Amino acid sequence: MDPLFMACSYFRRRKFQLCAEICTALLEKNPYDQAAWSLKTRALTEMVYVDEVDIDQEGIAEVILDDNAIAQIARPGTSLKHPTTSQAGGPSPAVRPMSQAGRPISGFVRPGTSSGRPGTMEQAIKTPRTASTARPVTSASGRYVRLGTASMLTNPDGPFIHLSRLNISKYAGKPYLAKTLFEYIFHHENDVKSVSLFHQYFLSFSSIKLFNLAALATEHSQFKDWWWKVQLGKCYYRLGLHREAEKQFKSALKQQEMVDIFLYLSKVYIRLDQPLTVLVLLKEGLDHFPGEVTLLTGIARIHDEMNDIVSATEYYKDVLKQDNTNVEAIACIGSNHFYSDQPEIALRFYRRLLQMGVYNCQLFNNLGLCCFYAQQYDLTLSSFERALSLAVNDEEVADVWYNLGHIAVGIGDMTLAYQCFKLALANNNDHAEAYNNLAVLEMRKGHHEQAKGFLQTAASLAPHMYEPHYNFAALSDKVGDLQSSYVAAQKSAAAFPEHVNTRQLIKQLQQHFSML
Amino acid sequence: MEEQEKASIPDGPQLSAEIRKPRPKKVAELPILERRNWLIHLHYIRKDYETCKTIIKEQLQETQGMCEYAIYVQALIFRLEGKIQESLELFQTCAILNPQNLDNLKQVARSLFLLGKHKSAIEVYNEAARLNEKDWEIEHNLGVCYMYLKDFEKAKEHLNCALQHSKHDLSFVMLGKVHLLDGNVEEAIEVYKKAVEFSPENAELLTTLGLQYLQLGLYQKAFEHLGNALTYDSNNYKAILAAGSMMQTHSDFDVALSKYRVAAHSSPESPPLWNNIGMCFFGKKKYVAAISCLKRANYLAPFDWKILYNLGLVHLTMQQFASAFHFLSAAISLHPKMGELYMLLAVALTNLEDPDNAKRSYEQAVALDQSNPLVNLNYSILLYNQGDKKRALNQYQEMEKKVNKLKDSSNTIEFDPELVDMAQKIGAALQVGENLVWTKPAKDSKSKQRSASAGKPSSTQQPLGSNQALGQAMSSAAGYSKNIQLSTDRCSAQLQKPPSLPLEPEPGAEDITSQGEPERDKRHEKR
C-alpha cells in the first residue's frame, strides 16, 4: 500500500504516533516531500492540541499588574472585579458559602472563573494555599509545561522543525503549508520552549515568529482569509495586545461568522473586564447560531460570575435543553437547588450525573449531603463511605470529613462531630471552615480560650468568610473585650455587609464607644 | 469638659504675649496651651475627625504634648475608631497631666472597662468616686463592672445608687438584667415597670417588659406592652416575634404571618423567625411549607433543639415516622432533660413498630416529666394495646393524679378536648372510669363507651393513640414559640453562632467544581 495513504488513514483514525512514524520514514527518503511534511506537522500538532477557547488561566503577574481593564473603578454591576454584592433572588452568604473572591460558590470549577481577581498582592499569593480551587501561583505556563513535556517525548532526536532556521516568507506564500506550519508552531513549538527558564523570552520569540508568519500570510491572501485574521488575533491575545486582537477578530467576524470567533472575542472582552459587552456579543452570536451550547454556557458563566444566579440557572437550563449531558450545567443547577432549600431536586440532578458515568469523590459527597437533607437516611452514610474511598488527595478527604461533621451535627452527636472536624483538619491543615466549626463546638462546651484560638486561626486562613470574624466578635463581646470585638465585627461587616447581627453588634459597640 | 477647658483659658494670658508675633495685633492673645482648643472642639463635634487629628498633631507639637484637651480629644477619636489600647494610654497621660480632673479618671476607667479589665476599672472608678461622691455615671459603671464579675449583690447596690442620683434608661436596663441573671424575675419586672413609667416611649424597655410578662404567662399584660412597643417602633424585631407568637397561640395565623413578613425583611437569617413562620404554616395545615421553613431554621441554627422538636412534630403529623425519629433523637441529644421529647420519640417508635424501645422511651419520659398528663396517658394506651392492663392502669392513675394536681393549682386550666375524650375511652377500656376527674360526662354515656370499647378492643385505639399525641404536640408547639422569644433576646449572641455552620455544604459545591477539571481535560483530548 502507498505509505502516504497509510499515513492519511492513520491520521483519520487519530493514531498520530503511527502516522508521524510513517511520515518520518517518507521524509528520510525524500526530504522535500511536501505532502508528508505537512501531514507530519498536522499529526504532531494534533497530539498536543488544546482548545484555545477554554484555557484561560491568568498568572499571578497578569492578575496583579492588570492594567487592561477599561475602568479601574467600575460602577457596580458592570465589572467582574466588583460584582454586585446583593444579588436579586439568590441565596445570601448565610445560606450559600462564599468563595475567596466574595461570590457565592459555584457548582463547577472552571479555569479563571472559579475565583475572581484578588484585590491585593497578599491575597493573591495566599489564594492557592488556602483554596484548592484557585489558580496556581506560577504564571500561565503551568499548562503549557505539561503539554510541552509530552511533545518532547514524542521526538527524542531533536525538534522536527528548527524555528530559527525557518524562512517564514517562503512558507507564507504557500497557503496549504502555511496553515499547518502555523498550527504546529502555535501549539507545539511554543510549549517546548516554555519548559526552560527563558520561557518568557522564547515565548515572545516564537510568538513573534508566529506573528510574522500570520501577518505575511494575511498579506498574501490580500486580507481576504478570515482564518488568518483569527490566528493573528490569537497571537495578539497571547502577546497581551488585547485591543489589536479585538480588531482582528472583529474583522474576521465580518467576513465569516464562526462560533469560535465569538468565543475568542468574548475572551478578549473578559480580559478587558467588560462583562456586559460579552453578554451582548454572545447573545448576538446566539442569533446566528441558535441553541449553540458553548455560547449559552458562556452567557451562563458570565451571569454566574456577576452573582446573578437566577439568570445563570436559566441559561444553564437552556444548555441542558440542547445538550442533556452537559456536566457543568447539571452540576451548577444541582448546587443551586441544594442551596435554595430543595435538596430533593438537587438529588435528582446529581443522580443524573451518576447515571452519565461520572464517578468520583465529589459527586458521592454531594449525593450524601443531598440524601441527608432530603431525609434519605439509609443512603447518606454509604454515599460518604464511597466518597472517602474514591478521594484521591488529602483535600478531598478533608472535605468529606468536614461534611460528615455536619451530618453529625444534624443528628445531634456532638462527639462525633468534633471528631469529624478534627479528622478534616488532620487531612488538610488549612481547612478554615473546620476550624470555625470546632470553635463553635468548643464554645458550646464553654471552653472560650480554645474557641478563640480556633477562630483566630480560621480568620487568618480565610479572611473572606464572615463567620469566624462574627463569632470572634460575639465571643469577645460576651467576655467584655470590646476592642477585639469591634475589630472583628468590622472585618465581618466587610465580608458580608448585609449580616443583620453584625450590624447590630457594631451599632451596640459604637454606642459604647461614643458614650462619654 | 470642653466648658471647663474654656473656663480655664483666661488663667494664663501672660505667657504668650511675646511668642505670638506673626498675628495681627487686634486678635486677642491667648495662652499657647489652650489656644486652639475651640477649634479642636468645633471639629470634633462636627465629626470632622481627620481635620481634628491634624490640628491636634500641630497643637501637640507646639506644646510638646502638654495640651491636655488635645490629648483628650485624640483619645476620644481613637476610641471611636476602636483603638481602645491607644486611647487608654492617652487618657492615662491626661490623668497624669491633670490628676484632679474627674473626667480623666472616668475615661481611664471606661477604657479599662472596654478592654475587659473589669477589676482594674473598678479600682479606678473607686478612686474617681473619692473625688465626687454623687456621680451617676461612676455608680452605674461600677454596677456594670460588678455584673461582668458576677458579683450581683454589689452590682445591684451600685445600680440602685446610680438610680437614686439620676434616673436613666441604661441603669434600669442593667439593673433588670442583673436581676434576671440572678434568676429573680419578679424584681426584674418591678424594675422594668419603673423604667417604663420613667420613659414610656422606649420600645426596647416595653418589649423587654412584655417578654417578661410572657414568660410569666400574663398574656394580657404582655400583649399590651408589646403592642405599645410596636406602635413606637413598628420594625422592632423582638416585639414582632413575640407578638406574632402570641397571635399564633390564639390560632390567628394569617395576622401572625403578616407580622413576620415585616420582620423577615429586616432580618432574613433569623432562625427563630423561620421557626415561627414554619409553625404558622403548620397551624394552617400547609405541611410542606412548614417543613421547608423549619428546615431552613434548622440549617441556620443546627444546635437549637426547639426547631428539631418542631420538625419531629411536623413529620409525625405527616406520618413520616423515620424522619421524625431522627429529628427527635437529635433534639434529645442536644437537650436531654425534657420528658415530652421522649414521649414524642416513643410515639414515633410505636409507629415504627418497635414497642420495646417505645416502652423504654416512655419510661424515661415518665421519669423526667412532672406535670404533663399526656405522657402517662400515651404510655397507658401503649401498654393497653400491648395487653399489659395492670401497668396501663398504673399509668392511668398517675395521669389522674397529675390532672388533679393541675386542677388544684389553677381553676382556669382547660384541657384539650381530644385529651379528655381519649382519657375517657381508655378509662372505660380499663374499667376504672367511674370517679373520673372530668366532671362533665354523665354515667350513661360512659357506660356506653365502655361497652363499645370492650367490644372492639385495640383496633380502634391504636390510631387514636397516635392522634392523641399529636394533639398535644400541637399545643406544645404553640407553647414552644413562646419560649423562643426568650431565647432571642437573651442569648442572641449564642443563637447566632450556628450560622457559621451553614458553610457546610461548601465543600460539596467546591467538590463538584473540582470535578469539573478532569471533565474539561477530557474534552480537549477528544478534539
Side-chain angles (χ1 to χ4, degrees):
Chain A
M1 205 187 295
D2 179 19
L4 191 64
F5 179 79
M6 269 298 277
C8 280
S9 165
Y10 277 132
F11 183 78
R12 275 203 305 276
R13 284 181 281 157
R14 305 186 64 77
K15 294 180 177 171
F16 303 120
Q17 192 67 50
L18 293 171
C19 171
E21 275 164 21
I22 294 179
C23 290
T24 319
L26 280 176
L27 283 173
E28 266 167 24
K29 272 185 232 159
N30 177 12
Y32 297 102
D33 186 345
Q34 286 189 348
W37 189 84
S38 163
L39 193 61
K40 185 177 175 189
T41 323
R42 281 184 70 192
L44 290 177
T45 312
E46 282 292 327
M47 276 189 235
V48 293
Y49 186 83
V50 175
D51 192 351
E52 261 307 282
V53 175
D54 252 2
I55 333 173
D56 198 10
Q57 250 169 355
E58 287 182 282
I60 196 164
E62 284 104 280
V63 172
I64 308 254
L65 309 172
D66 177 27
D67 53 354
N68 297 318
I70 288 177
Q72 289 300 328
I73 303 165
R75 275 178 290 168
T78 61
S79 161
L80 293 172
K81 282 183 197 169
H82 310 282
T84 44
T85 39
S86 60
Q87 57 279 66
S92 79
V95 179
R96 188 171 188 156
M98 302 295 260
S99 70
Q100 294 257 317
R103 17 181 99 92
I105 208 142
S106 142
F108 192 84
V109 159
R110 311 175 269 268
T113 57
S114 57
S115 70
R117 292 140 190 272
T120 63
M121 188 78 175
E122 191 187 2
Q123 202 183 341
I125 294 172
K126 222 185 231 172
T127 302
R129 268 181 267 159
T130 51
S132 43
T133 58
R135 81 176 62 75
V137 172
T138 53
S139 83
S141 59
R143 192 165 292 273
Y144 300 141
V145 170
R146 184 173 62 80
L147 299 167
T149 45
S151 69
M152 278 253 282
L153 286 178
T154 54
N155 38 350
D157 25 73
F160 168 53
I161 298 171
H162 286 281
L163 270 190
S164 45
R165 286 191 229 146
L166 216 56
N167 182 1
I168 283 187
S169 51
K170 191 181 96 188
Y171 286 99
K174 299 173 183 164
Y176 45 93
L177 284 184
K179 283 186 186 179
T180 52
L181 180 62
F182 177 88
E183 293 225 303
Y184 176 80
I185 301 173
F186 194 82
H187 289 292
H188 198 148
E189 286 305 312
N190 170 27
D191 311 330
V192 179
K193 305 291 191 211
S194 63
V195 181
S196 74
L197 251 180
F198 303 103
H199 153 69
Q200 274 305 336
Y201 169 73
F202 280 108
L203 185 67
S204 54
F205 170 74
S206 63
S207 295
I208 289 166
K209 282 257 171 187
L210 275 177
F211 177 69
N212 285 340
L213 180 59
L216 283 173
T218 320
E219 268 173 41
H220 274 284
S221 56
Q222 280 106 39
F223 304 100
K224 274 189 188 145
D225 194 341
W226 63 270
W227 193 87
W228 280 113
K229 286 183 183 167
V230 175
Q231 305 313 316
L232 202 53
K234 273 157 82 173
C235 295
Y236 276 127
Y237 180 77
R238 203 174 267 194
L239 288 172
L241 303 168
H242 300 301
R243 280 299 178 195
E244 282 78 2
E246 180 197 355
K247 218 180 284 166
Q248 293 299 331
F249 286 136
K250 271 196 169 163
S251 133
L253 207 54
K254 247 179 234 157
Q255 279 178 354
Q256 179 78 31
E257 271 143 5
M258 296 288 284
V259 179
D260 262 8
I261 306 178
F262 281 112
L263 294 176
Y264 285 129
L265 200 51
S266 74
K267 256 175 80 172
V268 173
Y269 283 128
I270 288 174
R271 197 51 81 81
L272 292 174
D273 195 17
Q274 296 280 297
L276 297 183
T277 323
V278 179
L279 286 183
V280 172
L281 176 81
L282 290 176
K283 277 175 189 159
E284 193 193 313
L286 273 183
D287 290 340
H288 297 290
F289 304 96
E292 170 60 38
V293 174
T294 42
L295 295 178
L296 283 171
T297 322
I299 297 180
R301 283 179 186 173
I302 295 289
H303 278 307
D304 205 358
E305 278 198 71
M306 303 277 286
N307 283 2
D308 190 355
I309 308 269
V310 180
S311 342
T313 313
E314 256 165 46
Y315 277 99
Y316 277 127
K317 279 186 180 152
D318 281 348
V319 171
L320 281 190
K321 269 176 210 151
Q322 303 297 330
D323 171 13
N324 52 19
T325 57
N326 190 310
V327 176
E328 180 179 350
I330 296 178
C332 283
I333 297 177
S335 69
N336 194 31
H337 277 300
F338 180 82
Y339 288 118
S340 40
D341 293 335
Q342 293 165 316
E344 294 88 353
I345 301 175
L347 190 59
R348 266 168 51 194
F349 280 95
Y350 289 131
R351 223 169 45 204
R352 166 84 185 155
L353 281 181
L354 194 64
Q355 283 167 352
M356 280 163 43
V358 179
Y359 193 81
N360 58 13
C361 161
Q362 289 83 8
L363 180 62
F364 278 105
N365 175 46
N366 289 350
L367 276 173
L369 273 181
C370 287
C371 281
F372 181 75
Y373 284 102
Q375 293 154 40
Q376 313 271 339
Y377 297 111
D378 42 349
L379 284 175
T380 308
L381 287 183
S382 55
S383 297
F384 277 113
E385 264 171 18
R386 202 164 291 188
L388 272 182
S389 67
L390 285 172
V392 289
N393 56 24
D394 281 351
E395 278 82 27
E396 285 180 9
V397 178
D399 280 345
V400 177
W401 277 117
Y402 174 74
N403 284 333
L404 271 170
H406 272 279
I407 306 295
V409 170
I411 58 172
D413 191 341
M414 293 307 141
T415 333
L416 180 62
Y418 195 85
Q419 282 163 345
C420 286
F421 291 135
K422 278 274 181 193
L423 273 170
L425 285 184
N427 282 300
N428 178 4
N429 212 5
D430 289 339
H431 208 289
E433 291 88 357
Y435 275 117
N436 177 53
N437 290 357
L438 269 179
V440 174
L441 290 179
E442 289 284 2
M443 218 155 8
R444 278 176 56 82
K445 287 188 199 160
H447 302 164
H448 290 313
E449 284 311 308
Q450 268 143 313
K452 263 191 181 176
F454 281 133
L455 285 175
Q456 272 163 342
T457 322
S460 65
L461 283 173
H464 62 282
M465 285 183 354
Y466 78 95
E467 289 92 348
H469 297 306
Y470 176 71
N471 287 346
F472 191 76
L475 188 62
S476 312
D477 183 50
K478 211 169 123 196
V479 186
D481 184 357
L482 301 186
Q483 179 176 14
S484 342
S485 174
Y486 187 69
V487 174
Q490 297 251 297
K491 281 184 198 156
S492 161
F496 179 17
E498 289 93 29
H499 192 226
V500 182
N501 296 91
T502 308
R503 275 191 296 184
Q504 278 172 353
L505 186 64
I506 289 183
K507 214 170 107 192
Q508 197 187 325
L509 288 172
Q510 270 168 351
Q511 265 175 8
H512 266 298
F513 293 158
S514 58
M515 205 166 71
L516 275 173
Chain B
M1 177 70 217
E2 292 79 40
E3 275 151 16
Q4 280 175 8
E5 292 298 340
K6 272 176 207 158
S8 67
I9 287 171
D11 288 352
Q14 65 271 51
L15 274 178
S16 63
E18 62 270 34
I19 305 172
R20 296 270 81 204
K21 264 162 203 161
R23 290 255 158 183
K25 276 174 208 158
K26 51 189 167 179
V27 175
E29 301 285 342
L30 291 173
I32 186 157
L33 233 49
E34 279 93 10
R35 187 166 57 82
R36 271 188 282 187
N37 281 2
W38 63 275
L39 192 60
I40 295 173
H41 177 66
L42 210 61
H43 281 296
Y44 177 70
I45 56 171
R46 279 183 191 162
K47 298 195 174 186
D48 188 359
Y49 298 134
E50 284 311 310
T51 327
C52 204
K53 270 200 245 175
T54 45
I55 297 173
I56 289 174
K57 211 173 159 191
E58 285 169 21
Q59 176 82 338
L60 287 180
Q61 265 172 358
E62 276 178 35
T63 61
Q64 277 111 35
M66 296 303 284
C67 179
E68 184 195 350
Y69 184 67
I71 300 176
Y72 186 83
V73 174
Q74 175 79 55
L76 284 180
I77 294 175
F78 271 143
R79 179 187 288 166
L80 281 176
E81 286 168 353
K83 300 172 187 160
I84 315 278
Q85 190 62 45
E86 280 104 321
S87 108
L88 171 64
E89 279 156 23
L90 289 179
F91 280 129
Q92 274 166 341
T93 326
C94 277
I96 292 167
L97 283 176
N98 186 357
Q100 291 309 307
N101 193 337
L102 192 61
D103 278 308
N104 290 342
L105 275 183
K106 279 203 279 191
Q107 294 297 358
V108 170
R110 180 146 188 83
S111 298
L112 285 170
F113 165 72
L114 290 176
L115 283 172
K117 297 171 181 163
H118 301 299
K119 272 191 192 144
S120 342
I122 288 177
E123 276 167 28
V124 180
Y125 271 128
N126 281 332
E127 210 173 296
R130 254 178 267 139
L131 292 174
N132 184 356
E133 293 281 317
K134 292 193 174 170
D135 193 319
W136 161 79
E137 197 187 332
I138 295 177
E139 292 293 338
H140 172 82
N141 284 332
L142 271 175
V144 177
C145 284
Y146 278 119
M147 186 187 84
Y148 273 107
L149 291 174
K150 305 234 181 333
D151 188 350
F152 297 130
E153 284 312 311
K154 277 199 173 172
K156 277 181 211 166
E157 195 183 299
H158 283 289
L159 285 171
N160 276 324
C161 241
L163 284 176
Q164 276 168 9
H165 291 320
S166 104
K167 290 200 162 137
H168 200 287
D169 287 1
L170 265 179
S171 299
F172 279 120
V173 170
M174 282 301 164
L175 189 56
K177 216 171 154 186
V178 173
H179 280 302
L180 281 181
L181 285 175
D182 217 7
N184 201 340
V185 182
E186 272 88 25
E187 291 266 339
I189 286 188
E190 282 304 310
V191 171
Y192 285 127
K193 258 190 193 166
K194 269 188 223 156
V196 170
E197 272 169 31
F198 173 64
S199 62
E201 293 192 8
N202 189 331
E204 283 298 317
L205 282 174
L206 283 169
T207 315
T208 324
L209 186 57
L211 287 174
Q212 293 308 324
Y213 278 129
L214 197 60
Q215 206 180 15
L216 287 182
L218 300 169
Y219 296 114
Q220 193 54 43
K221 279 190 174 174
F223 199 74
E224 208 173 282
H225 284 104
L226 290 172
N228 277 343
L230 281 179
T231 40
Y232 291 122
D233 176 10
S234 58
N235 284 325
N236 192 316
Y237 166 73
K238 277 189 227 162
I240 288 177
L241 220 55
S245 87
M246 293 188 64
M247 290 166 191
Q248 251 173 298
T249 328
H250 296 109
S251 311
D252 205 351
F253 298 117
D254 288 315
V255 184
L257 270 180
S258 69
K259 288 271 173 220
Y260 291 145
R261 198 162 294 144
V262 181
H265 201 70
S266 62
S267 61
E269 288 117 27
S270 152
L273 177 69
W274 282 107
N275 173 65
N276 284 5
I277 293 177
M279 288 328 273
C280 264
F281 281 124
F282 181 66
K284 291 172 80 177
K285 304 222 183 316
K286 290 180 177 166
Y287 297 122
V288 178
I291 287 181
S292 70
C293 286
L294 285 173
K295 272 192 168 170
R296 166 164 287 190
N298 182 38
Y299 185 95
L300 292 169
F303 295 122
D304 194 338
W305 64 271
K306 289 166 188 165
I307 297 169
L308 288 166
Y309 177 100
N310 285 345
L311 268 170
L313 210 59
V314 179
H315 280 95
L316 275 183
T317 322
M318 296 282 282
Q319 307 204 329
Q320 295 180 351
F321 300 111
S323 300
F325 170 80
H326 277 279
F327 287 120
L328 289 169
S329 70
I332 286 175
S333 55
L334 289 171
H335 188 79
K337 294 269 175 273
M338 188 175 169
E340 282 158 38
L341 277 174
Y342 282 101
M343 183 192 74
L344 284 185
L345 189 71
V347 173
L349 282 169
T350 316
N351 283 298
L352 290 171
E353 292 171 5
D354 186 358
D356 294 336
N357 283 324
K359 265 187 213 165
R360 232 175 276 163
S361 180
Y362 270 129
E363 288 291 342
Q364 190 67 252
V366 169
L368 286 170
D369 194 89
Q370 300 301 328
S371 62
N372 196 339
L374 266 167
V375 179
N376 302 87
L377 179 65
N378 280 333
Y379 191 20
S380 156
I381 291 172
L382 174 75
L383 288 171
Y384 177 73
N385 288 336
Q386 292 286 309
D388 189 349
K389 281 203 179 178
K390 206 172 149 208
R391 284 170 66 196
L393 196 61
N394 269 346
Q395 288 303 321
Y396 187 74
Q397 281 156 354
E398 276 291 311
M399 179 198 75
E400 279 186 354
K401 266 185 222 159
K402 281 185 184 172
V403 168
N404 280 327
K405 214 192 279 175
L406 281 176
K407 282 202 164 180
D408 290 342
S409 63
S410 66
N411 301 325
T412 54
I413 203 158
E414 277 177 32
F415 290 101
D416 192 346
E418 211 179 337
L419 183 146
V420 178
D421 187 38
M422 214 36 233
Q424 281 169 356
K425 276 186 193 167
I426 182 79
L430 290 166
Q431 309 189 337
V432 287
E434 266 50 62
N435 52 352
L436 243 193
V437 279
W438 333 107
T439 45
K440 295 284 155 62
K443 282 231 165 170
D444 53 347
S445 76
K446 203 180 294 165
S447 59
K448 215 190 285 169
Q449 259 185 349
R450 186 195 301 168
S451 60
S453 54
K456 31 178 177 165
S458 60
S459 57
T460 50
Q461 249 142 27
Q462 179 70 13
L464 276 173
S466 60
N467 276 344
Q468 177 52 61
L470 289 176
Q472 101 78 209
M474 249 183 73
S475 54
S476 89
Y480 151 59
S481 44
K482 154 177 73 191
N483 285 348
I484 196 109
Q485 265 70 49
L486 297 174
S487 65
T488 45
D489 60 353
R490 225 183 276 152
C491 39
S492 69
Q494 219 146 30
L495 263 181
Q496 277 324 312
K497 265 152 221 159
S500 55
L501 285 167
L503 269 185
E504 120 216 45
E506 169 183 26
E510 224 173 305
D511 295 343
I512 300 202
T513 2
S514 35
Q515 152 216 330
E517 277 213 277
E519 211 50 42
R520 185 159 41 79
D521 282 0
K522 256 180 241 160
R523 235 166 81 204
H524 299 316
E525 277 147 29
K526 259 182 259 160
R527 290 208 182 175

